Coordinates of all heavy atoms in Angstrom, one line a residue:
V147 N 222.4 136.2 56.3 CA 221.9 137.1 57.3 C 222.9 138.3 57.4 O 224.1 138.1 57.5 CB 221.8 136.4 58.7 CG1 221.4 137.4 59.8 CG2 220.8 135.3 58.6
K148 N 222.3 139.5 57.4 CA 223.1 140.7 57.6 C 222.9 141.2 59.1 O 221.9 140.9 59.7 CB 222.6 141.8 56.7 CG 222.9 141.4 55.2 CD 222.4 142.6 54.3 CE 222.7 142.3 52.8 NZ 222.1 141.0 52.4
T149 N 223.9 141.8 59.6 CA 223.8 142.4 60.9 C 222.6 143.3 61.1 O 222.3 144.1 60.2 CB 225.1 143.2 61.3 OG1 226.2 142.4 61.2 CG2 225.0 143.8 62.7
G150 N 221.8 143.0 62.1 CA 220.6 143.8 62.3 C 219.3 143.2 61.7 O 218.2 143.6 62.0
D151 N 219.5 142.1 60.8 CA 218.3 141.5 60.3 C 217.5 140.8 61.4 O 218.1 140.3 62.4 CB 218.8 140.4 59.3 CG 219.1 140.9 57.9 OD1 219.0 142.1 57.7 OD2 219.5 140.1 57.1
T152 N 216.2 140.8 61.2 CA 215.3 140.0 62.1 C 215.5 138.5 61.8 O 215.2 138.1 60.7 CB 213.9 140.5 62.0 OG1 213.8 141.8 62.4 CG2 213.0 139.6 62.9
L153 N 215.9 137.8 62.8 CA 216.0 136.3 62.6 C 214.7 135.6 62.9 O 214.3 134.7 62.2 CB 217.1 135.8 63.5 CG 218.6 136.3 63.3 CD1 219.5 135.7 64.3 CD2 219.0 136.0 61.9
L154 N 214.1 136.0 64.0 CA 212.9 135.3 64.5 C 211.9 136.3 65.1 O 212.4 137.2 65.8 CB 213.3 134.2 65.5 CG 214.1 133.0 65.0 CD1 214.7 132.3 66.2 CD2 213.3 132.1 64.1
E155 N 210.6 136.0 64.9 CA 209.6 136.9 65.5 C 209.0 136.3 66.7 O 209.1 135.1 66.9 CB 208.5 137.1 64.4 CG 208.9 137.9 63.2 CD 209.0 139.4 63.4 OE1 208.8 139.8 64.6 OE2 209.4 140.1 62.5
P156 N 208.4 137.1 67.6 CA 207.8 136.6 68.8 C 206.7 135.6 68.4 O 206.0 135.8 67.5 CB 207.2 137.8 69.5 CG 208.0 139.0 69.0 CD 208.4 138.6 67.6
G157 N 206.6 134.5 69.3 CA 205.5 133.5 69.0 C 206.0 132.4 68.1 O 205.3 131.4 67.9
E158 N 207.2 132.5 67.6 CA 207.7 131.5 66.7 C 208.0 130.2 67.5 O 208.5 130.2 68.6 CB 209.0 131.9 66.1 CG 209.7 130.9 65.2 CD 209.1 130.9 63.8 OE1 208.5 131.9 63.4 OE2 209.3 129.9 63.1
E159 N 207.6 129.1 66.9 CA 207.9 127.8 67.6 C 209.3 127.4 67.2 O 209.7 127.4 66.1 CB 206.9 126.7 67.1 CG 207.2 125.3 67.7 CD 206.1 124.3 67.5 OE1 205.1 124.6 66.8 OE2 206.3 123.2 68.0
L160 N 210.1 127.1 68.2 CA 211.5 127.0 68.1 C 211.8 125.5 67.7 O 211.9 124.6 68.5 CB 212.3 127.4 69.3 CG 212.1 128.8 69.7 CD1 212.8 129.1 71.0 CD2 212.6 129.8 68.6
G161 N 212.0 125.3 66.4 CA 212.4 124.0 65.9 C 214.0 124.0 65.7 O 214.7 124.9 66.2
A162 N 214.5 123.0 65.1 CA 215.9 122.9 64.9 C 216.6 124.0 64.2 O 217.6 124.5 64.6 CB 216.3 121.5 64.2
A163 N 215.9 124.5 63.1 CA 216.5 125.6 62.3 C 216.5 126.9 63.2 O 217.5 127.7 63.1 CB 215.7 125.8 61.0
A164 N 215.4 127.1 63.9 CA 215.3 128.3 64.8 C 216.4 128.2 65.9 O 217.0 129.3 66.2 CB 213.9 128.4 65.4
V165 N 216.6 127.1 66.4 CA 217.7 126.9 67.5 C 219.0 127.2 66.8 O 219.9 127.9 67.4 CB 217.6 125.5 68.1 CG1 218.9 125.3 68.9 CG2 216.4 125.3 68.9
A166 N 219.3 126.8 65.6 CA 220.5 127.1 64.9 C 220.7 128.6 64.7 O 221.8 129.1 64.9 CB 220.6 126.3 63.6
L167 N 219.6 129.3 64.3 CA 219.7 130.7 64.1 C 220.0 131.4 65.4 O 220.7 132.4 65.5 CB 218.4 131.2 63.5 CG 218.2 131.0 62.0 CD1 216.7 131.3 61.6 CD2 219.2 131.8 61.2
L168 N 219.4 131.0 66.5 CA 219.7 131.6 67.8 C 221.1 131.4 68.2 O 221.7 132.2 68.8 CB 218.7 130.9 68.9 CG 217.3 131.4 68.8 CD1 216.4 130.5 69.7 CD2 217.1 132.8 69.2
A169 N 221.6 130.2 67.8 CA 223.1 130.0 68.1 C 223.9 130.9 67.3 O 224.9 131.5 67.8 CB 223.4 128.5 67.8
T170 N 223.6 131.2 66.0 CA 224.4 132.1 65.2 C 224.3 133.5 65.8 O 225.2 134.3 65.6 CB 223.9 132.1 63.8 OG1 222.6 132.7 63.7 CG2 223.9 130.7 63.2
A171 N 223.2 133.8 66.5 CA 223.1 135.1 67.2 C 223.7 135.2 68.6 O 223.6 136.2 69.3 CB 221.6 135.5 67.3
G172 N 224.4 134.1 69.0 CA 225.1 134.0 70.2 C 224.2 134.0 71.4 O 224.5 134.3 72.6

Side-chain angles (χ1 to χ4, degrees):
V147 174
K148 297 178 178 57
T149 301
D151 280 357
T152 296
L153 297 178
L154 297 164
E155 294 284 359
E158 179 81 20
E159 182 169 356
L160 299 178
V165 168
L167 283 170
L168 289 167
T170 67

